[in-house]
Amino acid sequence: MRVDEFDYDLPPELIAQQPLARRDASRLMVVDRDTGRWLHARFRDLPRFLRAGDCLVLNDTRVRPARLYGRRPTGGQVEFLLLQPLDGGRWLALARPGRRVRPGTEVVCGEERPLRVYVEEARDSGERVIRLEPPPGETVDETLHRLGRVPLPPYIRAELEDPERYQTVYAREEGSVAAPTAGLHFTPELLKRLQDQGVRIAYLTLHVGVGTFRPVTAERVEEHQMHAEFYRVEPAAAEAINAARAAGGRVIAVGTTVTRTLETVAAAGGTVRPGSGWTDLFIYPGYRFKAIDGLITNFHLPRSTLIMLVAALLGKEQTLAAYREAVARRYRFFSFGDAMLILPGAVPAGREEPALPE
């Protein structure tokens, strides 16, 4: 299967640059997984499409202030993106400009009480192993929260006035370099409405890694290798998900990160097992889902592993048709954009809204 089969035309002005004033005011395309029919709603209408006994599974990861800016002794500016902690105060990181950041380089971040960064190793993948030395009396985490910035995807051109808008309202386990963006639409009030109508809410953790920034460079889908990411599913979450399924409820993943985690820990019959580890599961058309019945997700980049996952659940042609409809209707795309709900039986016959003319 060729990667270019997952391409589509996207006008640049549809790439959302800022979040809406209210999270749940975003648009929601509801797509019937069985028939491919769709209708248009607002995200705050989500309770209309869920029912008592369903289980909504969310990723409670929090984006780390992982972007650091500093200067080399020569005065040249350096940017680091911290990917994951190693041992002994060392981190795996990306550096820019990479050709100027060789082993032995020292970078100073901040002017008052600076953080010193020592580059120890350059890896073939372009990553750097760096050691962070915070000022006396301060931990690395404290220094990062003082000097670091929340990293934003490269297609977002301006810094946010409120960095919390790139966090979900339920984010609590710090460790990601990017937000699980399907969850950005939820408000505490919306979550309460869902719980009040009998929808179970379960949380797991998957820390989004560098793979979210890297394009698929292979020509064939099967040749792409996913970057491994850390996950954790607590026993209480597994119990809630399994109880919902046993009682006939549907399991709806909020985002591709939740989907990959649940499919990683699910047995053949769909039972979810608690545990933690690293997953590099790559889901694309032909994959047989075990754990989820539905998905809430944003609209993703062309040729990305994320649109491939959506196509595995909905079908490639139905996915591309829905994306063409979203473009025609001027939906907002990517991290701060609008959302899609894919769910079996979600659109009754006669309720679909046909695509606009090409």
Side-chain angles (χ1 to χ4, degrees):
M1 189 180 307
R2 293 183 59 86
V3 171
D4 61 12
E5 295 178 45
F6 298 89
D7 205 353
Y8 66 92
D9 293 326
L10 177 65
E13 66 271 16
L14 296 186
I15 301 173
Q17 294 296 313
Q18 293 285 333
L20 296 178
R22 183 166 176 82
R23 291 174 183 260
D24 61 0
S26 55
R27 298 169 73 183
L28 179 68
M29 177 185 283
V30 182
V31 185
D32 193 316
R33 183 181 171 188
D34 294 331
T35 65
R37 294 192 296 256
W38 57 65
L39 58 81
H40 302 283
R42 292 285 176 182
F43 201 86
R44 59 177 172 263
D45 300 323
L46 181 62
R48 286 173 43 199
F49 306 101
L50 304 186
R51 59 191 184 218
D54 287 344
C55 185
L56 202 61
V57 188
L58 303 101
N59 183 2
D60 66 2
T61 190
R62 185 171 178 83
V63 184
R64 177 186 286 122
R67 179 156 280 149
L68 290 169
Y69 295 92
R71 292 194 178 276
R72 294 180 288 121
T74 58
Q77 184 168 319
V78 175
E79 176 185 341
F80 291 106
L81 177 62
L82 305 182
L83 303 179
Q84 68 186 64
L86 300 174
D87 55 9
R90 302 185 309 150
W91 288 72
L92 191 64
L94 296 177
R96 189 167 61 179
R99 66 184 182 281
R100 302 285 187 183
V101 187
R102 301 185 178 95
T105 301
E106 178 183 346
V107 176
V108 177
C109 302
E111 296 181 0
E112 295 183 9
R113 298 179 57 75
L115 170 71
R116 298 188 181 277
V117 181
Y118 301 94
V119 181
E120 296 188 346
E121 180 185 340
R123 297 190 172 178
D124 292 340
S125 58
E127 297 162 344
R128 300 291 189 271
V129 176
I130 62 176
R131 180 167 51 86
L132 304 183
E133 185 179 289
E138 197 168 79
T139 67
V140 168
D141 278 349
E142 289 170 339
T143 305
L144 289 181
H145 280 270
R146 180 168 57 85
L147 296 178
R149 298 183 188 178
V150 170
L152 294 174
Y155 48 78
I156 295 177
R157 297 185 293 271
E159 295 289 332
L160 294 178
E161 291 184 9
D162 179 8
E164 281 298 306
R165 291 305 308 272
Y166 194 57
Q167 307 278 10
T168 64
V169 296
Y170 47 80
R172 57 182 177 232
E173 298 291 334
E174 191 170 274
S176 281
V177 300
T181 55
L184 295 178
H185 306 280
F186 285 91
T187 65
E189 295 80 11
L190 179 57
L191 289 169
K192 185 177 186 303
R193 284 173 57 205
L194 289 165
Q195 288 178 300
D196 287 347
Q197 76 176 48
V199 175
R200 300 171 187 252
I201 306 291
Y203 296 93
L204 54 76
T205 303
L206 182 135
H207 291 319
V208 185
V210 67
T212 193
F213 293 115
R214 287 184 168 164
V216 177
T217 56
E219 291 187 1
R220 301 198 62 80
V221 171
E222 299 82 356
E223 296 170 353
H224 177 69
Q225 179 62 48
M226 293 287 285
H227 184 88
E229 295 164 314
F230 177 81
Y231 71 84
R232 181 170 56 251
V233 180
E234 298 289 354
E239 182 180 350
I241 295 164
N242 293 333
R245 181 176 296 283
R250 301 169 298 182
V251 177
I252 298 105
V254 178
T256 59
T257 60
V258 170
T259 301
R260 293 177 58 241
T261 303
L262 290 179
E263 293 298 320
T264 295
V265 301
T271 301
V272 171
R273 299 162 293 195
S276 62
W278 295 80
T279 180
D280 61 358
L281 178 63
F282 182 18
I283 297 176
Y284 54 88
Y287 181 85
R288 297 180 65 86
F289 288 88
K290 307 183 293 291
I292 73 164
D293 301 295
L295 171 67
I296 296 172
T297 187
N298 280 19
F299 291 89
H300 302 295
L301 276 74
R303 302 183 178 217
S304 65
T305 61
L306 307 179
I307 193 174
M308 294 173 193
L309 185 152
V310 174
L313 185 66
L314 183 59
K316 185 182 70 174
E317 296 307 321
Q318 290 179 335
T319 298
L320 293 175
Y323 270 58
R324 288 193 295 270
E325 167 75 352
V327 169
R329 297 271 183 168
R330 310 295 290 178
Y331 271 62
R332 302 165 76 246
F333 277 66
F334 305 164
S335 294
F336 291 133
D338 296 314
M340 174 189 289
L341 168 64
I342 303 169
L343 198 62
V347 184
R351 286 293 308 280
E352 69 271 18
E353 299 180 33
L356 296 177
E358 295 288 343

